Amino acid sequence: MRLEAITWERLAERLADRLAGVEPADGTAWQRVGFDGAPAARPGDLAARVGEALRVRGRPSLVIGTEGFLRPASLRLEHGRRDAESYYNGWFDTGALWREVFGPLDPGGSGRVLPDLWDPATDRATRSPYVQLPPGGILLLHGPLLLRHWFPFDLTVHLLLSPGALRRRTPEADHWTLPAFERYEAETDPAGTADVLVRADDPRHPAWSG
């Protein structure tokens, strides 16, 4: 796949333009966009940039990170603090994401979304209030391993890191998660599955598929 050099600012503008001109395919009143990437690729930064670009265009959006939907420590650390299998299959509360984020944005839904559920620092519920996303609003969900869950995204963006860049940019204390991303690449092929591919090996000089 041919990739075109671009700046992060211009990338956000181009994605916002694309979103502003697209209607959801299933008749719902909201668009749902996934920014998929390992933490080292910083997909949340791009989601936030796109949210700001949409705001300038008068389009409401809601940026949500899957790190706010971790399962309790007693469950996600059941097999130890450095178990790649648990990270791959058991760290994120996908049931809560379906119930509290995607369900309200289904056709006929309320648009009343919970922005986060669990604080990993305190290992307690966040008790955050629900947020009302108005019709025409856009969900910008970011996090790792997103494309393996069949979430109903209208657009998916994958931030790709080569294995070497992923290792270099991942803190050494988190290198135990790298096998999970190797498995994700092999089983899901996020680079080939996503609607938009962004290569982020050099954080100063991204490139994208257009």
Side-chain angles (χ1 to χ4, degrees), residues 37-194:
R42 304 183 67 86
D45 289 358
L46 180 57
R49 287 180 183 271
V50 173
E52 177 59 22
L54 288 168
R55 185 192 65 79
V56 172
R57 288 160 174 76
R59 293 294 299 272
S61 65
L62 178 61
V63 178
I64 292 180
T66 58
E67 71 272 9
F69 287 86
L70 291 178
R71 301 173 76 199
S74 61
L75 297 176
R76 73 177 185 275
L77 305 180
E78 182 179 4
H79 300 288
R81 293 182 175 274
R82 297 191 171 193
D83 186 80
E85 174 71 21
S86 294
Y87 182 76
Y88 191 73
N89 283 313
W91 269 48
F92 298 95
D93 192 341
T94 54
L97 283 165
W98 279 104
R99 182 179 67 252
E100 303 290 359
V101 177
F102 289 103
L105 304 182
D106 280 342
S110 66
R112 190 169 173 264
V113 175
L114 189 66
D116 54 56
L117 179 65
W118 201 259
D119 184 343
T122 63
D123 199 35
R124 296 179 182 275
T126 58
R127 302 190 184 278
S128 296
Y130 284 85
V131 176
Q132 187 69 44
L133 189 61
I138 301 175
L139 169 70
L140 306 173
L141 181 71
H142 62 86
L145 314 174
L146 284 182
L147 303 186
R148 60 182 296 263
H149 299 298
W150 301 99
F151 291 137
F153 291 121
D154 299 289
L155 182 74
T156 53
V157 181
H158 176 63
L159 281 77
L160 174 66
L161 294 176
S162 68
L166 177 60
R167 177 169 289 274
R168 287 193 306 273
R169 294 176 56 186
T170 298
E172 186 172 353
D174 295 329
H175 276 189
W176 63 271
T177 65
L178 297 180
F181 291 107
E182 293 173 8
R183 179 178 173 185
Y184 182 53
E185 179 73 25
E187 294 184 353
T188 305
D189 183 24
T193 301

